[in-house]
């Protein structure tokens, strides 16, 4: 990955519909100078705190504050070492704070970190906050969930349909803070190609949205629109948890060969083979002429030369393309996507989005949410046209905008009901969803 590659990113953290506070934290620190980039790279972090009241919030906040601070000061020679030490340092700081105050005892947080640097994409994580990569038409989970479910599945002690599954789903086996030492898992560095998209997220997103759905949204939409649609979807499916997402898109290479990061296998020039053939036939032709002129010895020499050139020509045609030196896949230290799904938009998903929009619109009308209907109308016309033309990215973008507009109205309506309730007014029904 090169300094010239402009990185686009979006961040969004949402409290959800059921929680009293948002215990997730996130942080992005982009290098302002190439010198820092060369040495460290851009850093992106999502942390999901746990513990009662403000405790989880404090733990996740401490993680996203401490990790970059330590990382950019590191004197470690190797980037993975610097990153690992930074996460371990955050663990120590959270543990110390937890043991100083009884109210903060055993506070903890997950964390997932992405460092984008000249070496590629490097990840560190503890807990079940995840990192995904969306490349071409697939989404890959690059991190292993430190959860009881995943650990038991790895040991073959849990099957996909186990009744026990719902019990262990949200139990995490590793986090920052509760213990003085923690095992930090590193993945990568993975090579970065232009247009690769990375997603870091808390389990509020992955609890209710499938990998394939996440893949389609991240693949088709610009990072900011994708982040909004993902959070809206999480809330539409219950919003039972806080949801935090960071989407990072690696830019195209301006003024450079876009394939520079992954050199195409070099083929030997066919022109060279043709030249050998031409010379071979020239020798044979020359030999024939010499033979008729009576120069038998010279003709024999020309024939032998012609045959040799013919052999060279045939061999040069058959030669295999050279293997690219230092192939990028080989450079991958630890390439192991844990789960893979297709990120190609499906008809079902598109009609599902259209259905969601329609139902929201119905509710908005029935409950009189405050909506900018003129803007909404224009968006819907554009969405319908895109659906008719089967342009998935445009249709998804317009439907995403319409859903966002309606969800903004929904949140406003919810807030209004809450204020009325707090003021002691009776509120008809409970349409707020919680
Ligand atoms: Ca969570």
């Amino acid at each position: 990955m090169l300094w010239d590659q402009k990185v686009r990113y979006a961040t969004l953290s949402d409290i959800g519909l059921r929680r009293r506070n948002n215990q997730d934290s996130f942080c992005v620190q982009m290098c302002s100078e190439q010198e820092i980039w060369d040495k460290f790279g851009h850093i992106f972090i999502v942390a999901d705190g746990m513990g009662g009241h403000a405790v989880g919030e404090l733990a996740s906040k401490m993680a996203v504050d401490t990790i970059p601070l330590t990382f950019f000061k590191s004197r470690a020679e190797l980037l993975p070492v610097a990153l690992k030490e930074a996460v371990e340092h955050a663990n120590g700081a959270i543990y110390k704070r937890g043991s100083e105050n009884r109210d903060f005892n055993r506070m903890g947080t997950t964390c997932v970190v992405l460092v984008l640097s000249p070496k590629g994409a490097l990840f560190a994580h503890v807990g079940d906050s995840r990192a995904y990569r969306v490349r071409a038409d697939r989404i890959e989970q690059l991190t292993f969930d430190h959860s009881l479910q995943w650990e038991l599945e790895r040991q073959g002690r849990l099957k996909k349909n186990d009744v026990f599954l719902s019990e262990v789903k949200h139990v995490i086996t590793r986090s920052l803070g509760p213990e003085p030492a923690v095992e930090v898992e590193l993945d990568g560095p993975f090579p970065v190609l232009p247009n690769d998209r990375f997603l870091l997220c808390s389990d509020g997103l992955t609890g209710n949205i499938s990998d394939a759905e996440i893949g389609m949204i991240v693949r088709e939409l610009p990072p900011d629109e994708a982040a909004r649609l993902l959070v809206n979807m999480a809330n539409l499916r219950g919003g039972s948890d806080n949801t935090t997402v960071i989407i990072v898109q690696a830019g195209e290479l301006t003024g450079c060969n876009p394939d520079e990061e992954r050199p195409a296998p070099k083929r030997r020039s066919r022109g060279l083979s043709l030249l050998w053939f031409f010379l071979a036939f020239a020798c044979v032709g020359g030999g024939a002429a010499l033979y008729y002129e009576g120069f038998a010895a010279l003709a024999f020499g020309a024939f032998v030369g012609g045959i040799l050139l013919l052999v060279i020509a045939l061999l040069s045609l058959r030669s295999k393309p050279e293997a690219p030196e230092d192939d990028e896949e080989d450079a991958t230290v630890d390439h192991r996507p844990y789960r893979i799904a297709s990120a190609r938009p499906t008809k079902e998903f598109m009609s599902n989005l259209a259905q969601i929009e329609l139902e929201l619109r119905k509710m908005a009308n029935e409950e009189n949410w405050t909506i900018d209907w003129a803007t909404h109308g224009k968006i819907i016309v554009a969405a319908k046209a895109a659906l008719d033309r089967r342009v998935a990215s445009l249709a998804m973008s317009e439907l995403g905008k319409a859903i966002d507009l309606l969800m903004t109205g929904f949140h406003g309506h919810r807030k209004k009901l809450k204020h009325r309730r707090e003021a002691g007014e009776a509120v008809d029904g409970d349409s707020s969803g919680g």
Side-chain angles (χ1 to χ4, degrees):
M1 165 123 200
L2 303 174
W3 167 248
D4 291 341
Q5 266 172 287
K6 291 290 164 245
V7 174
R8 282 173 87 182
Y9 70 89
T11 60
L12 197 55
S13 187
D14 191 86
I15 188 167
L17 302 179
R18 310 260 179 238
R19 298 281 170 97
R20 281 177 173 274
N21 50 1
N22 189 349
Q23 302 199 322
D24 289 354
S25 296
F26 67 88
C27 139
V28 173
Q29 210 162 314
M30 303 289 286
C31 304
S32 51
E33 294 158 33
Q34 187 167 3
E35 201 183 322
I36 307 171
W37 160 261
D38 288 339
K39 211 165 150 208
F40 296 103
H42 309 311
I43 194 167
F44 307 85
I45 312 172
V46 165
D48 176 353
M50 62 214 84
H53 304 293
V55 173
E57 251 170 295
L58 178 66
S60 67
K61 183 82 175 54
M62 283 183 75
V64 303
D65 288 346
T66 311
I67 293 169
L69 211 63
T70 319
F71 177 68
F72 286 109
K73 271 197 256 168
S74 174
R75 289 170 186 272
E77 288 270 313
L78 299 168
L79 211 60
V81 176
L83 181 58
K84 192 162 176 269
E85 284 176 357
V87 179
E88 284 168 350
H89 187 78
N91 179 69
I94 299 165
Y95 176 76
K96 187 163 171 279
R97 180 71 73 89
S99 34
E100 278 167 6
N101 185 331
R102 216 197 303 173
D103 292 340
F104 294 166
N105 199 12
R106 289 193 67 78
M107 67 175 172
T109 181
T110 71
C111 86
V112 58
V113 190
L114 160 63
V115 172
L116 269 188
S117 79
K119 302 258 187 304
L122 176 67
F123 298 88
H125 85 288
V126 172
D128 64 353
S129 294
R130 292 180 178 173
Y132 290 93
R133 177 177 68 193
V134 177
R135 173 183 288 176
D137 56 4
R138 67 184 199 171
I139 178 168
E140 301 162 317
Q141 185 179 341
L142 301 177
T143 48
F144 181 94
D145 287 5
H146 299 144
S147 70
L148 199 51
Q149 181 192 350
W150 277 53
E151 302 280 4
L152 289 174
E153 275 176 9
R154 172 144 78 179
Q155 293 165 16
R157 286 162 62 191
L158 192 69
K159 299 282 172 297
K160 285 262 179 274
N161 302 322
D162 244 311
V163 185
F164 190 46
L165 194 69
S166 59
E167 304 289 323
V168 301
K169 217 168 182 173
H170 298 290
V171 178
I172 61 169
T173 50
R174 254 188 248 182
S175 63
L176 295 185
E179 305 291 337
V182 71
E183 198 186 328
V184 179
E185 188 160 348
L186 292 174
D187 289 277
F190 302 103
V192 178
L193 297 182
N195 211 30
D196 270 356
R197 290 150 201 242
F198 297 98
L199 167 73
L200 306 183
C201 61
S202 60
D203 68 336
L205 182 76
T206 48
N208 293 311
I209 306 182
S210 73
D211 288 355
E213 289 172 317
I214 294 171
M216 290 184 251
I217 292 171
V218 174
R219 180 183 191 256
E220 297 300 326
L221 300 181
D224 56 335
E225 289 183 31
R228 273 206 301 278
L229 184 53
L230 286 174
V231 167
N232 282 331
M233 292 281 287
N235 284 336
L236 282 161
R237 298 219 174 133
S240 56
D241 197 356
N242 313 136
T243 301
T244 300
V245 297
I246 297 182
I247 301 170
V248 185
Q249 183 183 357
E252 299 288 340
L253 291 158
T254 45
C256 304
N257 175 6
D259 293 330
E260 194 165 310
E261 287 243 322
R262 183 190 283 270
K266 289 174 205 150
R267 289 199 169 267
R268 285 218 180 114
S269 149
R270 287 198 166 233
L272 196 63
S273 307
L274 287 176
L275 183 68
W276 292 125
F277 274 116
F278 175 78
L279 288 174
F281 287 118
C283 276
V284 173
L290 286 168
Y291 184 78
Y292 282 112
E293 293 295 326
F295 301 104
L298 280 176
F300 179 73
F303 279 131
V304 171
I307 288 164
L308 277 176
L309 285 167
L310 199 65
V311 171
I312 293 173
L314 287 171
L315 282 177
S316 78
L317 257 191
R318 283 187 48 161
S319 72
K320 287 186 183 139
E322 288 170 35
E325 284 171 37
D326 244 355
D327 185 81
E328 279 196 308
E329 290 302 335
D330 295 341
T332 297
V333 177
D334 224 347
H335 189 178
R336 42 175 187 189
Y338 292 98
R339 296 200 309 193
I340 298 173
S342 167
R344 216 178 259 281
T346 61
K347 232 198 212 162
E348 292 73 36
F349 183 65
M350 295 308 294
S351 56
N352 189 229
L353 274 186
Q355 191 60 33
I356 288 171
E357 196 282 330
L358 204 66
E359 276 166 30
L360 270 177
R361 204 190 311 172
K362 231 195 283 171
M363 278 172 74
N365 275 316
E366 281 168 13
E367 297 175 4
N368 213 10
W369 303 348
T370 309
I371 305 285
D372 177 357
W373 287 113
T375 306
H376 178 271
K378 279 181 206 157
I379 294 171
I380 289 305
V381 169
K384 276 191 180 137
L387 280 172
D388 287 346
R389 287 193 293 134
R390 293 167 190 252
V391 187
S393 57
L394 191 60
M396 202 187 287
S397 167
E398 298 299 343
L399 285 171
K401 280 180 208 160
I403 289 171
D404 193 49
L405 202 68
L406 294 166
M407 284 303 279
T408 307
F410 164 71
H411 288 303
H413 180 72
R414 242 180 123 234
K415 212 180 269 176
K416 223 189 289 174
L417 288 184
K418 193 176 161 228
H419 287 163
R420 278 171 55 190
R421 246 188 234 110
E422 279 166 3
E425 280 180 53
V427 175
D428 287 344
D430 185 17
S431 54
S432 66

